[in-house]
Amino acid sequence: MPTISVNGQTREVEAEDDTPLLWVLRENLGLTGTKYGCGIAQCGACTVHIDGEAVRSCSVPLSEAVGKKIATIEGLAEGGVLHRVQKAWIEHDVPQCGYCQSGMIMAVVALLKEKPQPTDADIDAAITNICRCGTFQQVRAAIHAAAKA
Amino acid sequence: MTERRSFVPAPDRRSFIIGAAAAGGGLALGLRLPFSPAHAATSPEVNAWVAIKPDETVAVRVVRSEMGQGTLTGLAQLVAEELDCDWSKVTTEYPTPGESAARGRPWGEFMTGGSRGIRASQDYVRKGAAAARAMLIEAAAQEWKVSADECSVSNGVIAHKASGRSTTYGKVADAAAKIPVPSGVSLKDPSKWTIAGKGLKRLDTADKTTGKMIYGIDFSLPGMLHAAIKDCPVFGGRLKSFDESKIAGFKGVKKVMRVGETAVAVIADSWWRAKTALDALPIEWDEGPNARSSSESVAAWLKEGLDYAQPAVVGNSVGDARGALAKAAKTYEAVYAYPHQNHAAMEPLNATALYTDEKCEVWTGTQNGEAAFTAVMSASGLPAEKCEVHKLMLGGGFGRRGFTDYVEQAVLIAKQMPGAPIKLLWSREEDMAHGKYHPVTQCKLTASFDDKKNLTGLRLRISGQSIFSVVRPEIVKNGLDPAVFQGFAPSGDAALGYDFPNFLADHSMRNPSTPPGWWRGVNVNQNVIYLECFMDELAHEVGEDPVAFRRKFLGKSPKHLAVLNAVAERIGWERPAPKGVYRGIAVAMGYGSYVAGAAEISLSDDGAVKVRRIVAATDPGYAVNPAQIERQVAGSFVYGLSGLFYGGITIKDGRAVERNFDDYPSMRIREMPQVETIVMPSGGFWGGVGEPTICVAAPAVLNAYFAATGKRIRSAPLKNAGIAMA
């Protein structure tokens, strides 16, 4: 059986090699914080990190995830302490329905790693997640706040 | 054209029951349930609204659904306000529809739509909380053998000043539950509010940032199987056959089955395996009578209805608009159109069902728990006391989850595999193919002027789809669907603000085969585009300023005028816009609230529209949580402008063409304008918040586009005119 490393743990999964990582995470590993929205890498609700990079897990086959370090929203807090992006999200009361926010947060964490002080233009270029509730004003404010934290 | 009308279903048992409930008739389901409600651990219940635990946690019980609008938090604020409890100890929970039925519907209807979540519940939740407060105080007073009048309460602590004694809600909750519910309670004057009326943070945020929040799609039961489904892609078509042998070797597949008359489902040990097998399954459809329907054929049919000689049902008539037209020195006419839209909530539709001979239970995100409950009864064939619906968080609703088609499917599947919990999940493609689409309409407007350029009348003809004639036909009397006239109704919560000397609005009902539904804002979306863009056209026709022109007709509508003036002032209407920036404005009433929007746009070199700024004013009467109102206003613009620029469902060969977010895009953060919300509650009435403002963004932007280019865009989506968002 394929073995993958998720949030620091090595897990065996009984799934076909071409199963999208999204469904391995959700159905085989019960990590349902990562969401299904489109299945074609458009909406970003399924964003996770593979070796630190934000990727859309609906479009990554299991075979490509083997041997790499995968991080999901469930693994973002360390030792029970929320990540500064999560804290900023709570402080700015960002989510409405909240469904897209796991992916949004994972995309933002990756952005801040690459650009610790992103400009609005950096945000516009990097954050392409769809939010049908339209939380973008709070998302932008929370990104800037997290960058300062 | 008969084939287009063939899709209108006869009223069935389900819509009758839901309709009766909506009309206040009440569900006659006073039955005892054989199993306990899910929240039985919460005790004691003081009354239907409030349960207080010994640790002082106050559970506010709400039947409206949370789908992002902050409804649970707002209602909890109202309850906490009247209860005088400690806000930091407040939580919310959902009573189930089964429990409500068994207890004689203490919470009334469950529907969460029409921006009614708070405004239609505020009175009874506040009274419920005030009654609970009185019962808690009475319990303490009885224990102390003093009069309740001598006791006071603050933050959940009851005190008897004369004797210096005090106790807490948690300590007397048990005793309070045994005290008779007081008949008359008085409510606080909103000017005295300390918890309601404040921009408090939502109660459900933390779990939405850690992945812990359980939406319908995340729900799981031991031994659960997964279902993927395909319904006939042609509206009104049926399932003919499928060739199961072709997927015989597919891993994890447990069953392939017919679902009702129109759909086929594959059940497997994972959804991905079910979907993979379903995609490989050869299916033959009987496409039925609508297989040649297209957006073009529907548009041509609707265009016929714009002819004033065609029969139409009058929705609002003031004076004699026909006579004014006949006598006009000059007339001015324009034709507008608005397309179907799909809700495309981020969480695709899903429901988990468990059917046994004993009962049928469903776990799902629904905007209407009672409608889902009724759907479970009808699909399972079991009586109310053997059915239950457990509501879960909604990953967006926008009106789509007020329907119960997906719930019914889940039960029909589970019924074929008794004892096995089944989670049905629609693919995004299925969600796009089987929407309850925003109705398609066209509108012709004709203005009459006298020889001094005074507007003497306005005639407005809507041609197109009626939601209620399909969804709740019992509401449509003599062909009149009142909702069709949202935004220019004679009275009510979406009334025309303009005092035209003569006015006539009528409707030529034409229902194509696409199933219609309530899409955030419903008919104010297009109706306010029609009227507010036309008002802009008229202002330019007579050479007047668009704001000044509107003011002339708002003399009898001070609340419309106040929001219009507020956005004009904030955007700086009296001063010229910065170079390269163009402005547009719109005003309306919807869902009981008065709203106005003023937009500033600029154009990029390739003609794309940068919506730079939108100032929006809303007067909802009372503002329960101004911070959440700001979020709803800004969010509604994302939804409405996505529809204006990028949306539109195209019909070809009787089916929806758009399949996913690649051909049905939604705004991203880079396209988000700066939204400045003016919350200006004037008191004395309760208006909604989730939907009203959506209708002013699109016409404000379209009017700004005219200011920028001199071009009138009279139909959406703008992508069809080659106009993108920058």
Side-chain angles (χ1 to χ4, degrees):
Chain A
M1 278 195 284
T3 300
I4 57 171
S5 162
V6 181
N7 299 332
Q9 288 187 321
T10 304
R11 309 277 296 264
E12 273 194 350
V13 289
E14 199 254 301
E16 288 71 64
D17 281 350
D18 60 354
T19 307
L21 176 60
L22 166 65
W23 296 102
V24 173
L25 294 171
R26 288 183 57 82
E27 301 201 306
N28 295 80
L29 301 179
L31 296 170
T32 55
T34 305
K35 303 301 189 200
Y36 165 59
C38 69
I40 57 167
Q42 280 286 318
C43 76
C46 66
T47 303
V48 301
H49 296 171
I50 297 185
D51 290 341
E53 194 183 331
V55 295
R56 296 188 170 175
S57 63
C58 71
S59 300
V60 177
L62 172 59
S63 56
E64 279 182 29
V66 171
K68 294 173 184 161
K69 283 187 182 154
I70 298 152
T72 71
I73 188 78
E74 289 90 348
L76 200 52
E78 281 183 42
V81 179
L82 293 181
H83 189 280
R84 63 194 162 109
V85 173
Q86 292 171 306
K87 286 181 189 166
W89 245 241
I90 291 168
E91 184 55 34
H92 286 77
D93 221 9
V94 173
Q96 288 184 26
C97 89
Y99 189 80
C100 70
Q101 298 292 327
S102 295
M104 193 80 80
I105 288 169
M106 295 307 281
V108 169
V109 169
L111 167 66
L112 292 180
K113 251 184 228 162
E114 199 188 322
K115 295 193 170 160
Q117 301 294 328
T119 62
D120 280 340
D122 293 333
I123 293 169
D124 288 348
I127 306 303
T128 57
N129 302 48
I130 292 176
C131 171
R132 294 285 283 163
C133 295
T135 57
F136 297 130
Q137 292 209 146
Q138 280 70 38
V139 167
R140 190 184 297 280
I143 294 173
H144 287 306
K148 287 186 193 116
Chain B
M1 291 300 156
T2 48
E3 99 279 0
R4 295 201 176 103
R5 286 168 191 151
S6 65
F7 192 68
V8 178
D12 58 9
R13 174 167 164 252
R14 181 176 51 141
S15 58
F16 169 73
I17 294 175
I18 298 165
L27 286 169
L29 304 172
L31 302 158
R32 281 284 147 200
L33 296 176
F35 46 92
S36 307
H39 57 81
T42 306
S43 68
E45 183 183 271
V46 178
N47 62 13
W49 314 104
V50 175
I52 302 177
K53 291 184 192 171
D55 69 357
E56 306 296 333
T57 305
V58 176
V60 175
R61 314 197 48 207
V62 178
V63 294
R64 307 291 179 185
S65 299
E66 181 57 67
M67 48 191 168
Q69 274 68 29
T71 309
L72 290 193
T73 302
L75 288 172
Q77 281 177 265
L78 289 171
V79 168
E81 182 67 56
E82 296 297 338
L83 192 59
D84 280 323
C85 65
D86 182 349
W87 176 248
S88 71
K89 296 193 168 69
V90 170
T91 63
T92 62
E93 59 185 34
Y94 287 141
T96 64
E99 183 192 4
S100 184
R103 289 175 60 171
R105 298 184 81 221
W107 297 279
E109 55 140 352
F110 279 50
M111 176 64 180
T112 313
S115 300
R116 292 201 310 253
I118 288 178
R119 65 182 169 127
S121 322
Q122 54 80 21
D123 184 62
Y124 61 73
V125 303
R126 290 193 295 152
K127 284 177 180 160
R133 178 183 184 275
M135 292 155 76
L136 289 156
I137 294 173
E138 181 62 30
Q142 285 184 10
E143 193 185 311
W144 295 331
K145 299 190 169 49
V146 299
S147 163
D149 295 341
E150 297 167 26
C151 301
S152 64
V153 60
S154 172
N155 251 4
V157 178
I158 306 164
H160 182 248
K161 203 175 171 187
S163 62
R165 283 175 291 190
S166 71
T167 186
T168 63
Y169 278 177
K171 287 180 187 144
V172 297
D174 257 332
K178 297 180 185 82
I179 285 170
V181 178
S183 51
V185 288
S186 56
L187 299 177
K188 286 185 191 171
D189 185 317
S191 66
K192 305 278 195 304
W193 284 350
T194 59
I195 299 172
K198 305 288 179 244
L200 302 181
K201 292 208 173 131
R202 298 173 64 113
L203 296 171
D204 55 0
T205 298
D207 284 352
K208 290 176 177 176
T209 66
T210 57
K212 280 189 191 144
M213 181 62 75
I214 299 296
Y215 298 82
I217 195 173
D218 305 323
F219 183 75
S220 177
L221 287 170
M224 188 175 76
L225 297 173
H226 300 260
I229 197 163
K230 270 188 192 170
D231 204 333
C232 180
V234 177
F235 304 117
R238 288 160 166 256
L239 174 66
K240 198 188 278 177
S241 64
F242 53 85
D243 185 358
E244 203 177 328
S245 69
K246 294 286 193 296
I247 58 167
F250 276 61
K251 215 166 179 181
V253 172
K254 306 288 183 191
K255 200 165 177 135
V256 186
M257 64 170 75
R258 194 175 264 277
V259 183
E261 296 296 313
T262 63
V264 56
V266 173
I267 319 304
D269 59 359
S270 83
W271 187 74
W272 183 253
R273 284 172 169 171
K275 182 193 180 292
T276 304
L278 181 62
D279 286 344
L281 180 71
I283 306 168
E284 277 198 69
W285 306 107
D286 167 6
E287 297 191 344
N290 305 316
R292 284 187 299 171
S293 182
S294 69
S295 290
E296 290 78 13
S297 66
V298 170
W301 185 43
L302 264 54
K303 195 179 168 198
E304 287 172 20
L306 295 178
D307 182 346
Y308 290 141
Q310 290 281 326
V313 175
V314 174
N316 190 359
S317 178
V318 176
D320 178 16
R322 285 190 189 90
L325 263 183
K327 285 185 286 190
K330 193 178 179 196
T331 63
Y332 182 91
E333 192 165 284
V335 172
Y336 283 79
Y338 195 83
H340 289 301
Q341 303 281 6
N342 189 29
H343 298 80
M346 288 306 300
E347 180 194 11
L349 297 173
N350 63 81
T352 301
L354 173 59
Y355 177 94
T356 67
D357 290 341
E358 299 302 309
K359 64 184 179 184
C360 183
E361 283 183 276
V362 164
W363 294 260
T364 192
T366 171
Q367 289 177 239
N368 191 339
E370 286 187 331
F373 185 72
T374 314
V376 174
M377 285 169 62
S378 103
S380 69
L382 294 174
E385 66 270 24
K386 291 186 172 181
C387 294
E388 188 56 289
V389 171
H390 306 277
K391 297 201 302 175
L392 297 165
M393 183 64 73
L394 285 70
F398 311 116
R400 182 63 181 88
R401 285 187 161 92
F403 292 86
T404 57
D405 44 346
Y406 57 103
V407 174
E408 199 174 306
Q409 287 177 344
V411 173
L412 291 174
I413 293 167
K415 201 175 172 181
Q416 296 182 56
M417 299 181 81
I422 313 271
K423 178 154 74 188
L424 168 69
L425 169 63
W426 288 20
S427 65
R428 173 59 60 194
E429 289 76 13
E430 188 69 8
D431 180 279
M432 293 296 292
H434 290 286
K436 303 291 184 187
Y437 304 95
H438 182 288
V440 61
T441 68
Q442 296 180 11
C443 182
K444 181 165 82 177
L445 305 99
T446 313
S448 47
F449 294 98
D450 66 15
D451 54 6
K452 297 187 183 67
K453 289 191 180 177
N454 292 310
L455 181 72
T456 56
L458 197 154
R459 182 154 189 202
L460 180 164
R461 162 67 57 84
I462 300 165
S463 175
Q465 209 167 10
S466 144
I467 301 171
F468 279 121
S469 68
V470 175
V471 175
R472 296 236 301 265
E474 72 281 3
I475 285 181
V476 179
K477 302 262 189 324
N478 300 319
L480 175 67
D481 174 354
V484 161
F485 298 94
Q486 270 186 315
F488 25 78
S491 59
D493 74 354
L496 177 73
Y498 297 121
D499 179 27
F500 296 126
N502 298 287
F503 179 71
L504 175 63
D506 56 12
H507 176 217
S508 171
M509 190 188 294
R510 283 156 197 259
N511 291 320
S513 52
T514 33
W518 307 281
W519 187 89
R520 191 176 191 174
V522 194
N523 290 311
V524 289
N525 282 294
Q526 75 278 14
N527 285 353
V528 177
I529 291 177
Y530 299 160
L531 185 58
E532 285 301 292
C533 289
F534 191 65
M535 287 297 281
D536 209 69
E537 295 202 43
L538 297 183
H540 284 91
E541 178 67 13
V542 300
E544 292 183 29
D545 172 78
V547 171
F549 182 74
R550 284 175 172 82
R551 282 180 185 142
K552 289 201 298 189
F553 303 101
L554 289 174
K556 290 184 181 167
S557 300
K559 293 188 172 77
H560 282 81
L561 184 61
V563 288
L564 177 70
N565 286 340
V567 296
E569 187 184 343
R570 176 73 70 86
I571 201 106
W573 192 267
E574 302 301 325
R575 299 186 300 278
K579 192 172 176 348
V581 175
Y582 303 91
R583 292 183 183 137
I585 204 159
V587 61
M589 180 197 192
Y591 302 93
S593 291
Y594 301 84
V595 292
E600 285 186 344
I601 69 161
S602 58
L603 299 178
S604 59
D605 293 342
D606 59 357
V609 176
K610 176 69 189 171
V611 183
R612 304 164 68 92
R613 180 183 177 214
I614 302 180
V615 174
T618 179
D619 175 3
Y622 295 105
V624 173
N625 187 319
Q628 293 308 320
I629 293 174
E630 285 181 24
R631 285 160 173 77
Q632 288 309 298
V633 171
S636 78
F637 293 169
V638 172
Y639 206 71
L641 294 178
S642 291
L644 176 72
F645 279 88
Y646 296 138
I649 292 294
T650 314
I651 305 301
K652 197 180 169 205
D653 300 330
R655 68 196 86 199
V657 171
E658 288 75 15
R659 306 260 302 153
N660 207 316
F661 286 121
D662 53 350
D663 52 9
Y664 189 76
S666 193
M667 278 168 68
R668 263 76 169 188
I669 199 169
R670 69 170 183 276
E671 292 142 331
M672 182 73 198
Q674 176 193 333
V675 176
E676 297 164 41
T677 304
I678 304 167
V679 183
M680 42 188 288
S682 60
F685 65 99
W686 289 80
V689 161
E691 293 169 278
T693 45
I694 193 172
C695 70
V696 288
V701 167
L702 288 168
N703 291 338
Y705 189 79
F706 173 79
T709 64
K711 283 185 212 149
R712 287 286 173 196
I713 306 292
R714 298 192 182 93
S715 69
L718 271 56
K719 70 178 178 189
N720 291 350
I723 303 167
M725 288 188 101

